[in-house]
Amino acid sequence: MALNSSRPVLSSVCTALRQCRPASQPLLRQAAARPLSTTSARLSEEAVEDERPRWSYTPERMKGPNMSIRVVKDPRRKIWKVNEDPALLDAMYNRFLGPHGDKMLPDEIKWLAITHKSFDYARRGFNTRLAYYGRQILALESTRSILISSFPPSNVPDKYSREPFRSPALEMVDKLNTKQPRDIIYKEKMAGLAMEIGLNQVVRWKPGKPENLEGSGQTVVLTTCLYAIIGAIGLQHGAEVAHKVARERILNRIANMKGL
């Protein structure tokens, strides 16, 4: 009896569901086809940004409120313009790396290698990690140049009159007693080379004192950019090409520089 009494209730429920189903499906399709207004606006902004090169703008989502807790004593120090001309940047790479040197790196990497973390609050990327890798390449190449150099190794006398162990395989290593890589690639020489190739005209950074670039750390910034370019070439073309560029385009040139 209980089973028979429940059948009319079940059939009425199924009938109601069949009547509601056709009306609900168009509503669901209509809701799915109509995106939220904020989402569509955000997608349109991102589409406009994607048309521009990444180095040329700051992403909207990385921009904060137009305010700063830092109080600048002299408002003129806030004003500092950097290069935005790709032709000027390519000319610097050609002077540094030789003909067609601007073709050795992709456009984004060319701009990243000369961008210091002080520029645009580091929101467009910066060259610190590239510079670390490039510095290791230059240190290794400088060490190699010392080992194969022609000057004799130093014979430091032992105050206890001991006879040191000697081996042909270690004769070149003794040259490091008189000269170190830091004696070859110190920052003053590196910055001088950077000035010669016009790197100071295209580097992207924000000096703390625009009226005193040297006091703001220009020497360190230019040296970091040279390291970063070598690091970028090493990642793009491999260690052999990077060591050749470091040897021919940096070490050989700073060895012939006078006054430093």
Side-chain angles (χ1 to χ4, degrees):
M1 293 295 293
L3 181 61
N4 294 332
S5 62
S6 62
R7 286 180 179 176
V9 178
L10 180 61
S11 62
S12 61
V13 172
C14 293
T15 302
L17 290 175
R18 283 195 299 271
Q19 293 176 354
C20 295
R21 186 180 304 167
S24 61
Q25 289 179 351
L27 292 176
L28 291 175
R29 288 196 299 267
Q30 185 177 4
R34 184 176 66 251
L36 296 176
S37 59
T38 56
T39 304
S40 61
R42 186 175 68 249
L43 292 176
S44 62
E45 291 178 358
E46 291 177 353
V48 173
E49 290 181 353
D50 291 340
E51 295 177 357
R52 294 177 291 171
R54 174 64 182 85
W55 57 265
S56 63
Y57 70 95
T58 301
E60 292 295 331
R61 295 186 182 184
M62 298 188 69
K63 293 181 180 179
N66 190 16
M67 59 175 292
S68 176
I69 61 174
R70 181 182 178 186
V71 179
V72 181
K73 296 181 180 180
D74 189 351
R76 293 176 298 178
R77 290 182 174 178
K78 290 184 177 181
I79 302 175
W80 180 259
K81 295 183 180 180
V82 298
N83 172 57
E84 297 181 357
D85 186 6
L88 190 61
L89 180 69
D90 292 342
M92 184 278 298
Y93 275 100
N94 288 329
R95 285 191 296 269
F96 179 37
L97 302 175
H100 307 292
D102 58 317
K103 308 298 183 184
M104 293 191 68
L105 296 173
D107 288 340
E108 293 294 337
I109 305 301
K110 286 192 296 185
W111 286 97
L112 181 64
I114 52 92
T115 301
H116 189 256
K117 59 185 176 182
S118 61
F119 172 70
D120 195 22
Y121 303 100
R123 294 181 297 189
R124 304 192 200 181
F126 50 93
N127 58 9
T128 300
R129 286 179 289 184
L130 289 176
Y132 176 79
Y133 181 46
R135 181 169 185 158
Q136 308 312 311
I137 294 175
L138 273 169
L140 178 58
E141 192 60 35
S142 300
T143 303
R144 184 182 301 174
S145 67
I146 295 173
L147 295 180
I148 64 176
S149 60
S150 58
F151 63 88
S154 63
N155 295 320
V156 180
D158 187 76
K159 61 180 181 179
Y160 299 106
S161 300
R162 294 174 297 184
E163 184 66 24
F165 174 77
R166 298 187 180 278
S167 171
L170 299 177
E171 288 182 358
M172 292 186 176
V173 180
D174 290 337
K175 297 178 181 180
L176 294 174
N177 288 330
T178 58
K179 199 170 187 179
Q180 291 288 321
R182 61 174 176 265
D183 300 327
I184 299 177
I185 53 173
Y186 57 89
K187 60 183 181 181
E188 287 77 13
K189 273 194 173 183
M190 296 285 288
L193 174 60
M195 299 286 282
E196 282 189 1
I197 63 176
L199 182 57
N200 58 312
Q201 299 176 4
V202 298
V203 60
R204 300 201 296 182
W205 70 307
K206 174 59 178 69
K209 302 176 182 179
E211 71 280 3
N212 184 10
L213 297 181
E214 188 62 31
S216 300
Q218 185 184 40
T219 299
V220 177
V221 171
L222 294 178
T223 302
T224 301
C225 289
L226 286 179
Y227 288 147
I229 293 174
I230 297 300
I233 292 175
L235 292 175
Q236 188 73 19
H237 299 282
E240 183 177 356
V241 176
H243 281 275
K244 181 179 179 181
V245 172
R247 182 173 59 254
E248 296 180 356
R249 295 296 173 180
I250 294 184
L251 297 183
N252 291 349
R253 295 171 75 170
I254 63 178
N256 298 324
M257 293 177 62
K258 298 179 180 180
L260 291 176

